[in-house]
Amino acid sequence: MERTATDTPTEEAWAGFTSGIWNEAIDVRDFIQKNYTPYEGDASFLAGPTEKTTRLWESLEENYLSEERRRRVYDVDTDTPADIDAFPAGYISEDDDVVVGLQTDVPLKRAMMPNGGWRMVETAIKEAGKEVNPEIKKIFTRYRKTHNDAVFDIYTPRIRAARSSHIITGLPDAYGRGRIIGDYRRVALYGVDKLIEEKQAMKDSVADQPFSEHWARFREEHAEQIKALKKLKTLGEIYGFDISGPAKNSREAVQWLYFGYLASVKSQDGAAMSIGRLSAFLDIYFERDLAAGTITETDAQEMIDNLVMKLRIVRFLRTIDYDQIFSGDPYWATWSDAGFGDDGRTLVTKTSFRLLQTLRNLGPAPEPNITIFWDPALPEGYKEFCAAISIETSSIQYESDEQIRNQWGDDAAIACCVSPMRVGKQMQFFGARVNSAKALLYAINGGRDEMTGKQVTEPGLFTPLEGDGPLDFDEVWQKYEEMLDWVVGTYVEALNIIHYCHDRYAYEAVEMALHDSEIIRTMGCGIAGLSIVADSLSAIKYAKVYPVRDETGLVVDYKTEGTFPIYGNDDDRADDIAATVVHTIMSKIKAIPMYRDAIPTQSVLTITSNVVYGKATGSFPSGHKAGTPFSPGANPENGMDTHGMVASMMSVGKLDYKDALDGISLTNTITPAGLGRNKEEQVKNLVGIMDAGFMAEED
């Protein structure tokens, strides 16, 4: 388009787009709905990696990734507390000009984020073989209170006891909470100056109101958001870009968006730093540039490949203990895709295909955590491509589009593994999870820990079950409910403390600057060990279970006689017990007031921490042995599902999504050979399995 004297930078950037509400107010969803092009074809249009993409990826592998694997942590900056604009420009190599920007000045060099807690930072630095800067330590132990310090100042003896015994594990009391998806698309669509203008207007909109705690926090948080947005502009300038205005083309759209995300991972080390739902948004820019002849399909793929490359090298300074909790070094840069809009059009675009193509062009990888919102009505070409890439790479996760869209709308995305939220309009107070299985053992033992023998609950508060059995189901269930009152109450109290302190001492200013000023907050509670509880209660109800005690009277094992129904085999008797446990815990969570009036939600999720939970937990009536890993998420107990994958999906589908709005995880492993004799048959069968499973969930 030719620029005229009356054109403004915004008019130039938005030329050719269909107008709507998004022109007058910040509304990315409206922009997408007015402008995206659904794609119902196949993958034949896709391009392979460019020479530059291959060269950059090989440089990363040769110079950085291989070295990191050898020594766990490539490098740590011990002199510079992390911030959006704390580091000079850094590049993978001299020709790194497709998508630029690193967390520090060198790929894979980790930055310290002491606002969350100094002890974790110091431990991680030493574990990486580095020396702590004494001046930095002095600042964050003498002059600057951290989130972790504040939390432990407030924690009660009851919370400390529950935390130490691992009945509650993984609390974000020493690291960033995560589970906040900034709407990074806003940086590209509107530019930073517009975002600052909007935040300033919102801050001033309450200037004349009388003082209250809410009023003061509203103005202070908006002030912090504005400061963060100004630093975001500086970040762009460090790399030679003026991101004050909207992106004028697809290259700028990708780069502007990435700068927004980069600012977040430069300033926060959250448990999940997801990037949101980008494909339909970016596809609008690609389609406009392709039509104008300013880029080719190869260029579009190169941009997506290089953006994903940058997401793959995000790193946070973590301790070895943290890595053990999460079974590695994950950061869950989750990219959500596909599904349907509320108007019935598919949200699959060509860029949905381009994202999956990165798993071929760059090779398989766990990051970004690509999450497909599946529906049996998705275009066949896309479903087949998803299945083919899943078979080749085992690197795709699937969620129910209908469940998520009905509850959270058609511009929702996943934070972390399974937690859905409206992008830019909602955040979660991440809460890790309680060990619902261990709580059953506490109920039987009157609050004594089955592994250590310690009395964890207050002395005399609970009485243990007496006698040599067999255990009575009604008596056990009553004691389990009473114990859950204590466990859940302790858990939610800890979460309220944590998030109060996090807002005060480690506030996510830039992420919240990319949200509406008034947002929905959820408290993301979670449970572990569901299958063990369901099977153990089933054994008590349908078989005969005898407790085995040590010399102190502590029940440390069980002798079970007879058979009992097993959760995960589409047997209503066991599956109903599982659903009742989930509902009971959620009901108890709902009864407790939440910090900032957050809406309580629950996940059935232990994708990575199931090994750690198992190590801290004893034996069960179901036959689960002490110290052995839990099954992940809502999965049936390891090796106990004997009726196949669809039966296990049917069992999980009986859990009420309203009791687990934070997400339900089911992990399945299928060998390609088990799907068919050739690739075509394998793809067709995998699509059929997923269609059947998701229809079962929706029913």
Side-chain angles (χ1 to χ4, degrees):
M1 170 183 174
E2 256 185 49
R3 182 90 181 269
T4 67
T6 58
D7 285 338
T8 66
T10 297
E11 288 171 341
E12 180 184 2
W14 293 350
F17 294 151
T18 300
S19 60
I21 298 170
W22 66 271
N23 297 89
E24 305 301 326
I26 293 175
D27 192 333
V28 178
R29 179 193 174 275
D30 183 64
F31 168 74
I32 293 170
Q33 289 295 315
K34 293 290 196 307
N35 288 281
Y36 86 101
T37 305
Y39 179 68
E40 301 196 8
D42 60 22
S44 58
F45 72 94
L46 288 167
T50 63
E51 289 185 11
K52 175 173 283 190
T53 295
T54 301
R55 189 166 59 248
L56 284 171
W57 190 241
E58 288 175 349
S59 176
L60 271 171
E61 172 59 34
E62 181 179 346
N63 298 316
Y64 302 102
L65 291 168
S66 60
E67 187 64 20
E68 181 185 59
R69 286 193 292 271
R70 189 180 69 81
R71 60 194 192 207
R72 180 177 168 268
V73 174
Y74 177 80
D75 197 8
V76 180
D77 188 301
T78 59
D79 300 318
T80 312
D83 204 349
I84 295 167
D85 56 355
F87 293 93
Y91 301 90
I92 297 171
S93 65
E94 291 182 2
D95 66 348
D96 181 13
D97 61 356
V98 180
V99 179
V100 300
L102 300 176
Q103 284 175 286
T104 57
D105 56 340
V106 175
L108 306 186
K109 182 195 283 188
R110 305 183 189 216
M112 55 180 172
M113 298 185 181
N115 289 340
W118 176 256
R119 283 172 290 183
M120 184 172 184
V121 167
E122 182 170 15
T123 300
I125 289 173
K126 291 178 178 178
E127 288 175 349
K130 299 288 183 178
E131 295 295 324
V132 170
N133 182 320
E135 289 302 312
I136 301 296
K137 179 176 180 177
K138 183 178 180 181
I139 291 169
F140 286 94
T141 55
R142 181 178 296 185
Y143 302 119
R144 209 289 186 182
K145 189 171 187 177
T146 68
H147 162 233
N148 181 249
D149 292 334
V151 167
F152 277 84
D153 281 348
I154 302 174
Y155 268 173
T156 64
R158 182 174 69 171
I159 295 173
R160 287 173 177 261
R163 188 180 186 276
S164 297
S165 69
H166 305 291
I167 198 166
I168 303 172
T169 298
L171 294 170
D173 51 18
Y175 58 91
R177 57 192 166 195
R179 302 281 182 97
I180 300 173
I181 307 174
D183 191 353
Y184 307 111
R185 305 167 302 185
R186 295 184 182 192
V187 182
L189 184 57
Y190 296 105
V192 179
D193 281 354
K194 175 64 174 176
L195 302 180
I196 293 173
E197 177 188 320
E198 289 289 316
K199 289 296 179 180
Q200 186 65 53
M202 289 303 300
K203 180 187 176 187
D204 292 342
S205 69
V206 299
D208 296 330
Q209 293 184 12
F211 179 87
S212 67
E213 184 177 349
H214 173 76
W215 175 89
R217 176 157 52 187
F218 185 89
R219 285 185 55 80
E220 183 183 25
E221 287 183 350
H222 276 72
E224 290 299 310
Q225 292 171 23
I226 291 167
K227 291 174 188 175
L229 289 170
K230 290 178 179 178
K231 290 180 181 180
L232 174 55
K233 281 180 65 175
T234 301
L235 174 61
E237 291 165 3
I238 288 171
Y239 284 92
F241 292 96
D242 177 6
I243 62 174
S244 60
K248 297 184 292 296
N249 54 53
S250 56
R251 293 185 185 279
E252 290 188 353
V254 172
Q255 183 66 66
W256 273 217
L257 183 153
Y258 174 64
F259 276 141
Y261 181 74
L262 183 62
S264 295
V265 297
K266 277 175 167 285
S267 56
Q268 285 288 329
D269 62 344
M273 299 294 288
S274 301
I275 197 167
R277 195 165 184 168
L278 311 179
S279 294
F281 176 81
L282 289 176
D283 197 77
I284 296 167
Y285 287 87
F286 289 138
E287 286 293 303
R288 185 177 65 170
D289 288 0
L290 286 164
T294 56
I295 65 168
T296 65
E297 178 56 39
T298 298
D299 295 326
Q301 186 65 54
E302 183 181 61
M303 284 183 255
I304 296 298
D305 286 346
N306 281 258
L307 175 58
V308 166
M309 193 185 304
K310 287 298 195 295
L311 300 182
R312 289 189 181 187
I313 59 172
V314 170
R315 295 292 186 273
F316 297 114
L317 183 62
R318 306 292 201 192
T319 63
I320 291 173
D321 281 347
Y322 179 97
D323 288 355
Q324 289 176 345
I325 291 174
F326 293 102
S327 298
D329 189 17
Y331 42 96
W332 289 289
T334 304
W335 183 323
S336 304
D337 208 347
F340 283 89
D342 290 339
D343 61 2
R345 292 183 298 160
T346 178
L347 282 160
V348 172
T349 64
K350 285 188 174 181
T351 300
S352 303
F353 282 80
R354 294 176 184 122
L355 174 62
L356 298 181
Q357 180 74 349
T358 65
L359 294 167
R360 285 178 171 167
N361 289 354
L362 302 177
E367 300 286 0
N369 175 17
I370 297 174
T371 300
I372 305 303
F373 288 1
W374 188 272
D375 188 288
L378 286 174
E380 288 299 319
Y382 183 68
K383 292 198 298 182
E384 291 172 0
F385 192 55
C386 287
I389 296 295
S390 285
I391 291 167
E392 292 173 22
T393 69
S394 299
S395 297
I396 305 176
Q397 176 177 287
Y398 298 93
E399 298 276 354
S400 169
D401 179 61
E402 183 171 322
Q403 295 275 25
I404 291 170
R405 179 164 35 84
N406 287 345
Q407 186 67 40
W408 308 110
D410 62 5
D411 196 37
I414 299 297
C416 189
C417 310
V418 297
S419 304
M421 58 191 66
R422 293 178 175 90
V423 178
K425 299 180 180 300
Q426 182 179 339
M427 65 159 287
Q428 182 193 105
F429 293 137
F430 167 55
R433 52 204 61 89
V434 295
N435 190 333
S436 66
K438 195 175 182 75
L440 178 63
L441 302 184
Y442 274 35
I444 291 170
N445 279 311
R448 286 180 70 192
D449 190 273
E450 75 285 353
M451 300 292 278
T452 65
K454 291 181 180 178
Q455 182 69 42
V456 175
T457 64
E458 296 84 340
L461 185 61
F462 299 103
T463 57
L465 282 170
E466 308 224 351
D468 297 326
L471 298 180
D472 178 75
F473 176 84
D474 291 335
E475 185 181 8
V476 171
W477 178 258
Q478 180 181 345
K479 286 188 173 292
Y480 185 47
E481 277 223 60
E482 292 170 354
M483 184 56 64
L484 286 176
D485 286 332
W486 186 91
V487 172
V488 169
T490 304
Y491 174 46
V492 174
E493 183 178 56
L495 296 185
N496 284 335
I497 291 168
I498 288 166
H499 294 294
Y500 166 81
C501 295
H502 207 293
D503 277 348
R504 293 190 68 190
Y505 298 101
Y507 180 64
E508 300 92 342
V510 75
E511 289 169 87
M512 297 312 299
L514 300 174
H515 280 70
D516 293 352
S517 289
E518 296 288 356
I519 62 168
I520 296 170
R521 293 177 175 85
T522 61
M523 185 70 79
C525 305
I527 60 172
L530 176 63
S531 61
I532 300 172
V533 175
D535 290 349
S536 294
L537 289 171
S538 177
I540 294 168
K541 187 172 185 176
Y542 294 103
K544 293 186 182 298
V545 175
Y546 299 89
V548 177
R549 302 178 186 273
D550 67 8
E551 63 279 2
T552 70
L554 183 73
V555 178
V556 294
D557 205 350
Y558 300 87
K559 179 182 177 183
T560 300
E561 296 179 355
T563 61
F564 53 94
I566 301 295
Y567 165 73
N569 293 286
D570 196 19
D571 187 320
D572 286 345
R573 294 173 297 170
D575 298 344
D576 287 349
I577 292 174
T580 300
V581 169
V582 174
H583 178 74
T584 299
I585 295 175
M586 188 67 239
S587 297
K588 295 181 184 300
I589 291 170
K590 285 181 177 179
I592 304 172
M594 300 286 162
Y595 171 64
R596 295 188 83 165
D597 297 321
I599 300 168
T601 62
Q602 181 175 224
S603 65
V604 186
L605 171 66
T606 45
I607 289 177
T608 55
S609 51
N610 43 305
V611 174
V612 172
Y613 274 105
K615 286 181 180 179
T617 307
S619 296
F620 286 86
S622 64
H624 185 98
K625 295 302 181 184
T628 58
F630 287 7
S631 62
N635 275 50
E637 181 69 329
N638 296 323
M640 301 285 271
D641 50 329
T642 58
H643 287 60
M645 179 176 168
V646 173
S648 68
M649 296 174 82
M650 296 289 284
S651 290
V652 172
K654 295 173 192 174
L655 304 178
D656 191 339
Y657 183 55
K658 292 179 181 178
D659 289 327
L661 289 174
D662 195 39
I664 301 169
S665 168
L666 173 64
T667 304
N668 281 303
T669 301
I670 310 172
T671 59
L675 288 168
R677 294 165 294 182
N678 54 55
K679 184 69 173 289
E680 183 180 356
E681 192 173 280
Q682 291 166 3
V683 166
K684 180 180 179 181
N685 288 337
L686 182 54
V687 168
I689 289 171
M690 289 193 290
D691 281 349
F694 281 101
M695 280 192 289
E697 279 193 10
E698 290 160 10
D699 291 343

